[in-house]
Amino acid sequence: MRSNFRPNIRLATNILLVIGTFAIALKIAPIAIVYQEKILCIKYLKHQIDRDELIKGLNIVKQANPSSICDSILKS
């Protein structure tokens, strides 16, 4: 009778690789959000997008001053 040791090790390795890949993706997601906000602010300051698009992209209220918000986002 054959041993199932090697296929079980291969299966366990594949499962761990999948879990590790998802763990890395979940760690990177918040960093991507910060860079998307920075890109939006840079586009706004270069007059590539208008105020309404910036407000929609950053999910801020219309009364807020986008220039000061962008300054604080770009400094961080």
Side-chain angles (χ1 to χ4, degrees):
M1 212 160 89
R2 269 185 58 190
S3 172
N4 283 335
F5 184 70
R6 280 195 182 184
N8 288 343
I9 290 290
R10 216 174 288 140
L11 179 65
T13 304
N14 288 341
I15 291 171
L16 290 175
L17 283 172
V18 169
I19 291 171
T21 303
F22 281 107
I24 291 170
L26 291 174
K27 281 280 202 187
I28 292 175
I31 298 169
I33 292 170
V34 170
Y35 280 106
Q36 286 175 350
E37 290 175 350
K38 286 185 178 188
I39 289 170
L40 274 174
C41 283
I42 290 169
K43 284 183 178 181
Y44 174 73
L45 294 174
K46 289 184 174 182
H47 304 291
Q48 294 175 350
I49 61 173
D50 61 348
R51 185 175 187 266
D52 293 331
E53 286 183 54
L54 179 70
I55 289 171
K56 190 170 115 180
L58 294 178
N59 294 327
I60 57 176
V61 294
K62 287 196 177 210
Q63 289 82 15
N65 185 3
S67 296
S68 63
I69 291 173
C70 282
D71 287 342
S72 65
I73 288 174
L74 292 175
K75 286 181 183 176
S76 62

